[in-house]
Amino acid sequence: MTAEPRILRTQAEKDLLDLWRRKPERADSAAIATLRDAAIARFDKAGLPHRRVEEYKYTDLRALLKTVPPLAGRADAETARTAAGPAAEGEVRLVFLDGHFEPTLSGALPKGVTVESLANLLPHGHTLGDRLGLSPLAMQDPLVGLNTAFMRDGAVIRVAARTKVAERIAIEHVATGAHAAFLRHAVAVEDQAEVTIVERYRGPAEAASHVNAVVELTIGDGATVHWVKLQTEGLAAAHFSTLVVDLSEKAELDHFALGAGAAVARAQVFARFSGEHATLSTRAATLLEGRRHADATLVVDHAVPHGTSRELYRAVIDGEAKSVFQGKIVVRQHAQKTDGKMASNAVLLTDAAEAMNKPELEIFADDVVCGHGATAGELDERLKFYLMSRGIPAAEAETLLIMAFLGEAVDTIADEALRDQVTAEIEAWLERRAAAKAA
């Protein structure tokens, strides 16, 4: 008899399977329990994605992810209040501490907006997994599968039809230490509504936290969503996030993401055009130093005619860090009159910095306007010399050029307060870089 091949698991894979075996008792509905069992069975068979999986060719999680910390219990009231800090002006926040919703730290909701905790809905058969059927590619993703297996809590948000929400809704994810958190959010913005949503991730500077968050966003006919994500977690953290978007007729999504934290990060966007004349604009700024690794993966699925999409991703890479961009625009056979443009640009600040760009077009229609481009290079020494010849020190000249490079992605954030917050985070990163070089 031939012996069955022995699967050699990494420590992180062992940790995840141990989390499953030691998971707390849950009052899941039968449908949710089935989803979880199927997801962990797939992981048990395949393990973490690695370089032989095409979508993870440049982000080998078997090599990059060393361990997974345990799940956290709920913090006491004082710890939660201290970790959350004060709310920003003009925002209604929903606080999640180590993966648990903290309703006492969350603000009063605007008229036309309802929020429920996912943990309270799972026992009653709230099957979020059905919604992911809108994006078959998201359903197949290993990180989404792990999230399905371990999801504990999240915000289920509904913005009623024709509601114009004046305040920003902030989903705050706060880590207090080396804990794992698996969050699943569902946001439904109904017809003709408009809302601005902020998604923040932060934690202690040296905490080896682990976050896997999935957001399912459906945008109704004629609705508009402004979405800004700020990821500034500790530099020992692991961060994995997935945004799954479905755009109905004449829907609009303006999306921006800042990635300035975590030792290993992968931010995914799966966007599907389900209605005609919809518009998607997604931009990102990634800041890397040391030996950090950040992956931005994007799939835009034009399934119907007359869709417009714009993607602009910028990365600044210092030290021995590595940036990965994978972007794919898919135009289905009947999606005529599609207009899609995608660009990825990276600036390498050292000889050891790396940028991997993998733009793709899959076009099955013949009456479309689509294009993509990718560049990677150093700062322009001529421009730097020009600034220095005007009396600007070399370090300040570099800072000005980096800010200008990122400005095209940042300056189009519609909300001025959020634009200022993003700019402040970029300036703080540049100041830390300047201080490290001067030391």
Side-chain angles (χ1 to χ4, degrees), residues 80-159:
R81 188 161 43 251
T82 302
E89 185 178 353
E91 291 184 359
V92 174
R93 68 176 181 172
L94 309 172
V95 178
F96 290 84
L97 194 67
D98 293 326
H100 298 278
F101 182 48
E102 297 289 344
T104 60
L105 299 175
S106 303
L109 296 172
K111 184 179 180 181
V113 178
T114 60
V115 176
E116 295 182 82
S117 166
L118 176 65
N120 294 335
L121 297 176
L122 289 176
H124 307 293
H126 190 92
T127 311
L128 296 178
D130 289 347
R131 296 259 296 281
L132 283 173
L134 298 168
S135 176
L137 292 172
M139 281 289 287
Q140 299 164 13
D141 182 74
L143 289 174
V144 173
L146 280 172
N147 182 277
T148 300
F150 290 104
M151 60 182 177
R152 303 174 80 190
D153 210 344
V156 179
I157 304 171
R158 173 180 168 270
V159 181

Side-chain angles (χ1 to χ4, degrees), residues 289-302:
E289 77 284 358
R291 303 192 69 178
R292 293 171 53 217
H293 180 107
D295 179 326
T297 292
L298 169 72
V299 179
V300 179
D301 185 356
H302 286 271

Side-chain angles (χ1 to χ4, degrees), residues 64-353:
L64 289 168
L65 192 61
K66 304 303 182 185
T67 61
V68 178
L71 299 170
R74 188 177 290 277
D76 61 78
E78 184 58 31
T79 300
R81 188 161 43 251
T82 302
E89 185 178 353
E91 291 184 359
V92 174
R93 68 176 181 172
L94 309 172
V95 178
F96 290 84
L97 194 67
D98 293 326
H100 298 278
F101 182 48
E102 297 289 344
T104 60
L105 299 175
S106 303
L109 296 172
K111 184 179 180 181
V113 178
T114 60
V115 176
E116 295 182 82
S117 166
L118 176 65
N120 294 335
L121 297 176
L122 289 176
H124 307 293
H126 190 92
T127 311
L128 296 178
D130 289 347
R131 296 259 296 281
L132 283 173
L134 298 168
S135 176
L137 292 172
M139 281 289 287
Q140 299 164 13
D141 182 74
L143 289 174
V144 173
L146 280 172
N147 182 277
T148 300
F150 290 104
M151 60 182 177
R152 303 174 80 190
D153 210 344
V156 179
I157 304 171
R158 173 180 168 270
V159 181
R162 293 174 291 282
T163 299
K164 310 296 182 184
V165 183
E167 302 97 327
R168 298 185 297 273
I169 297 175
I171 306 173
E172 300 265 1
H173 304 83
V174 184
T176 63
H179 306 298
F182 296 85
L183 299 118
R184 187 72 147 259
H185 305 296
V187 182
V189 182
E190 297 182 349
D191 298 352
Q192 308 298 322
E194 182 171 356
V195 67
T196 297
I197 295 179
V198 191
E199 189 186 4
R200 292 194 183 93
Y201 298 86
R202 54 189 173 88
E206 301 304 323
S209 58
H210 178 109
V211 170
N212 182 327
V214 173
V215 178
E216 302 174 42
L217 172 62
T218 56
I219 308 177
D221 293 350
T224 300
V225 176
H226 304 277
W227 193 287
V228 174
K229 176 192 172 190
L230 295 94
Q231 190 272 105
T232 57
E233 291 175 296
L235 300 185
H239 174 89
F240 306 110
S241 67
T242 304
L243 174 63
V244 184
V245 186
D246 184 74
L247 295 124
S248 300
E249 185 175 354
K250 296 183 180 178
E252 295 184 19
L253 172 62
D254 180 54
H255 171 263
F256 173 86
L258 173 71
V264 178
R266 181 173 168 111
Q268 307 183 128
V269 177
F270 296 95
R272 180 179 173 86
F273 285 70
S274 293
E276 296 188 16
H277 301 285
T279 302
L280 166 69
S281 172
T282 177
R283 305 171 308 285
T286 302
L287 308 172
L288 291 167
E289 77 284 358
R291 303 192 69 178
R292 293 171 53 217
H293 180 107
D295 179 326
T297 292
L298 169 72
V299 179
V300 179
D301 185 356
H302 286 271
V304 296
H306 300 286
T308 301
S309 64
R310 295 289 183 270
E311 298 83 40
L312 176 63
Y313 281 64
R314 296 268 164 103
V316 178
I317 313 157
D318 201 5
E320 299 176 56
K322 180 183 289 188
S323 168
V324 176
F325 171 77
Q326 299 182 111
K328 178 187 288 188
I329 297 176
V330 181
V331 182
R332 304 293 177 184
Q333 184 174 0
H334 301 293
Q336 306 293 351
K337 304 296 183 181
T338 290
D339 182 354
K341 292 181 175 62
M342 176 172 58
S344 170
N345 313 105
V347 165
L348 309 176
L349 299 179
T350 67
D351 292 340

